[in-house]
Amino acid sequence: PSLSFGSEEMVKSRFFRLACAFCCVGLLLIAVILLQTNRLGGMEMNLSLDRVQLAHPAPVFLDHPAPVFLAHPAPQENLWIELYNKNTLIRRTAYFDNRSFTGTSVVIIVEQNKTAPNIQPKFFGKVVMSNGMTYCHEVEYWKKIAPRFNPHPKPYRHGPDTYYCNLLRIKLTKFSEPPLYIALSQNEFCDDLLPPMPVFYDNRRKREKFAVCIQKGIFGIPAETLISFVELNKALGASFITIWIQTIEESVYNAMIPYVESGLVEMLDWKVTTPIRNYGTHAACNECVYRNIHRAEYVALTDIDEAFIPYKHDDWFGMLDDLGKYANIKNYAGFRFESIPWCDKGNSIKVASKGNSIKATSNLKNNGTFLPCYFKDTYRWESTDRHRPKMMVSMDRAIAGHNHIIPHYMLGIRECVYVPHSIGLSHHYRVTPLDGGEYVLSTTMERFVDKIIPGLEMHPMWKQ
């Protein structure tokens, strides 16, 4: 009996161990099959959408969400992801685009050196939704924005003209909501991630009609110049203005705080550390487009010394109505304004009602020497065909921005309406006159004196 008893216990013990072993092997096989199915399924679908990964908590940096992630003063690590000895620069904020003609996607802005090896490295993106679920997607090289006007291979304006802007995107064909953030990887399974990038999405109830962007990071600009730029564009119809900072004195930013706090102006740090022509103006133009696709109907891409001036109306609203009679504006991605140089030859605008110059009648302080360039530069280039055009871009039809063209736009439409000179021009206020042309006296800006001077006088910089 003892042997029989012992044999029965031994059988049970062996059976138990064998059953456990089979269970372990089975679980291991199931795990391997699931993993392989997960990988192969993603590869068969070109890693497009459906590989659900483990939930991933939002990183600490989201204490500073996308709308303010780039806002001045931002740490340098918030601004750019630099790869391959700075031959690839990735803006560290992505943009959600759910317009019908582009499809729902996350857009990534990249500057790349076209002379470097491995000019278009392969990227994959880990997309993190607000519910914590994550997905791995292939990243598409979508649109290239290259110079159209005589590229300069030699060093020119802060760096060589060897970089161009690329728009990359992650298509989200099964989602309508914006992700919380993304992180790029060069691994098809989204391992070894680069720093996470918040996804910007401004889902306001009502879009404004007009916004303005300075087309590149500003540097060495005095506060008076920025304030006069803001007051002019506010008078013309801009509901908000985006300004990128390359390098300025902190006192200049402090002078802009009243506009920032009112919501009229946002000041974002740019601070490119790589020598690039104009600090990567095409990247700034496209950040302007994608920050504003849900905020405004039209965006003026201009420089700090330029402005789109209506010639028959007091603001852009009347000008736009007039252009609607001239062309079916829904068939165009924007408006092209011929740019005309202006200069100062010692005659400031006269105030018709008083017969005196603004400089003499204004209460502006700063030792009485400050006068906005658009009231001081009263001589314009006589020809209207001399200078490069500037663009006002439709957020409902444009895909990409540029400082002189609209390089990519909705299929089935045309690039831009050529604005008749009698309706509007882009004024370019230069420090010195251009050679080779005749300048003529013009009082076009006299109409805006009463709209702009009070705003300048109310600014705390001059208000005593």
Side-chain angles (χ1 to χ4, degrees), residues 10 93 202 399 463:
M10 186 179 298
T93 290
D202 189 327
I399 293 175
K463 192 174 182 181

Side-chain angles (χ1 to χ4, degrees), residues 305-307 309 340 342 373-374 377 427-431 445:
D305 57 356
E306 297 171 325
I309 303 300
I340 306 301
W342 292 66
C373 59
Y374 44 81
D377 298 358
H427 288 193
H428 186 183
Y429 296 98
R430 301 180 60 89
V431 176
M445 295 302 295

Side-chain angles (χ1 to χ4, degrees), residues 9-76:
E9 288 297 314
M10 186 179 298
V11 169
K12 290 182 179 180
S13 176
R14 287 178 178 175
F15 178 78
F16 179 75
R17 288 197 299 270
L18 187 60
C20 289
F22 273 113
C23 289
C24 291
V25 171
L27 290 172
L28 182 60
L29 286 173
I30 291 171
V32 170
I33 290 170
L34 288 175
L35 180 60
Q36 290 299 110
T37 302
N38 196 21
R39 291 187 176 184
L40 294 174
M43 293 171 67
E44 289 169 359
M45 294 185 295
N46 200 23
L47 295 170
S48 59
L49 189 59
D50 289 335
R51 182 137 31 82
V52 180
Q53 299 176 343
L54 296 176
H56 192 288
V60 175
F61 81 87
L62 286 176
D63 289 341
H64 304 281
V68 297
F69 193 63
L70 305 174
H72 182 82
Q76 185 67 33

Side-chain angles (χ1 to χ4, degrees), residues 247-268:
T247 173
I248 59 172
E249 297 291 336
E250 198 62 22
S251 60
V252 176
Y253 173 75
N254 292 338
M256 299 300 292
I257 288 177
Y259 298 123
V260 174
E261 291 180 343
S262 72
L264 176 62
V265 172
E266 63 174 356
M267 298 195 73
L268 309 178

Side-chain angles (χ1 to χ4, degrees), residues 17-297:
R17 288 197 299 270
L18 187 60
C20 289
F22 273 113
C23 289
C24 291
V25 171
L27 290 172
L28 182 60
L29 286 173
I30 291 171
V32 170
I33 290 170
L34 288 175
L35 180 60
Q36 290 299 110
T37 302
N38 196 21
R39 291 187 176 184
L40 294 174
M43 293 171 67
E44 289 169 359
M45 294 185 295
N46 200 23
L47 295 170
S48 59
L49 189 59
D50 289 335
R51 182 137 31 82
V52 180
Q53 299 176 343
L54 296 176
H56 192 288
V60 175
F61 81 87
L62 286 176
D63 289 341
H64 304 281
V68 297
F69 193 63
L70 305 174
H72 182 82
Q76 185 67 33
E77 59 266 24
N78 281 24
L79 308 181
W80 298 95
I81 299 172
E82 300 174 342
L83 303 175
Y84 307 109
N85 295 321
K86 298 186 177 181
N87 287 313
T88 294
L89 308 177
I90 303 170
R91 187 62 161 163
R92 203 184 157 190
T93 290
Y95 292 90
F96 182 67
D97 182 4
N98 62 351
R99 295 174 296 175
S100 60
F101 67 93
T102 58
T104 304
S105 59
V106 174
V107 177
I108 304 156
I109 299 169
V110 181
E111 281 278 337
Q112 292 177 301
N113 187 349
K114 60 189 176 185
T115 66
N118 193 22
I119 188 172
Q120 291 191 351
K122 188 73 172 177
F123 288 112
F124 300 85
K126 183 174 185 176
V127 178
V128 181
M129 307 304 292
S130 58
N131 62 4
M133 299 303 295
T134 69
Y135 307 85
C136 189
H137 300 251
E138 184 175 13
V139 177
E140 171 191 359
Y141 277 82
W142 185 33
K143 301 294 181 183
K144 179 189 291 187
I145 298 90
R148 182 179 289 184
F149 293 101
N150 300 325
H152 298 264
K154 62 183 180 180
Y156 177 78
R157 291 186 183 176
H158 324 297
D161 195 20
T162 59
Y163 283 76
Y164 62 86
C165 178
N166 249 327
L167 295 183
L168 282 57
R169 70 172 176 176
I170 301 171
K171 297 180 72 172
L172 304 175
T173 56
K174 293 186 179 179
F175 297 96
S176 58
E177 64 177 278
L180 197 61
Y181 71 94
I182 67 168
L184 297 179
S185 171
Q186 292 190 266
N187 181 297
E188 64 180 349
F189 305 116
C190 291
D191 301 325
D192 302 321
L193 296 172
L194 294 172
M197 303 160 61
V199 177
F200 181 92
Y201 177 50
D202 189 327
N203 186 23
R204 57 185 62 208
R205 291 182 178 179
K206 180 180 180 297
R207 290 195 303 174
E208 303 295 342
K209 181 65 77 173
F210 299 106
V212 173
C213 295
I214 296 180
Q215 65 189 25
K216 60 189 174 190
I218 61 171
F219 54 95
I221 300 295
E224 296 92 337
T225 300
L226 272 182
I227 293 167
S228 61
F229 176 88
V230 169
E231 290 293 341
L232 171 60
N233 283 280
K234 182 176 71 171
L236 292 172
S239 294
F240 44 86
I241 299 165
T242 302
I243 300 171
W244 286 271
I245 299 172
Q246 179 64 26
T247 173
I248 59 172
E249 297 291 336
E250 198 62 22
S251 60
V252 176
Y253 173 75
N254 292 338
M256 299 300 292
I257 288 177
Y259 298 123
V260 174
E261 291 180 343
S262 72
L264 176 62
V265 172
E266 63 174 356
M267 298 195 73
L268 309 178
D269 279 326
W270 192 247
K271 298 180 181 177
V272 171
T273 61
T274 303
I276 302 177
R277 183 188 181 195
N278 285 333
Y279 299 118
T281 185
H282 296 153
C285 288
N286 282 281
E287 185 157 85
C288 172
V289 169
Y290 283 92
R291 285 189 82 83
N292 284 296
I293 55 176
H294 300 105
R295 301 197 300 192
E297 293 182 38

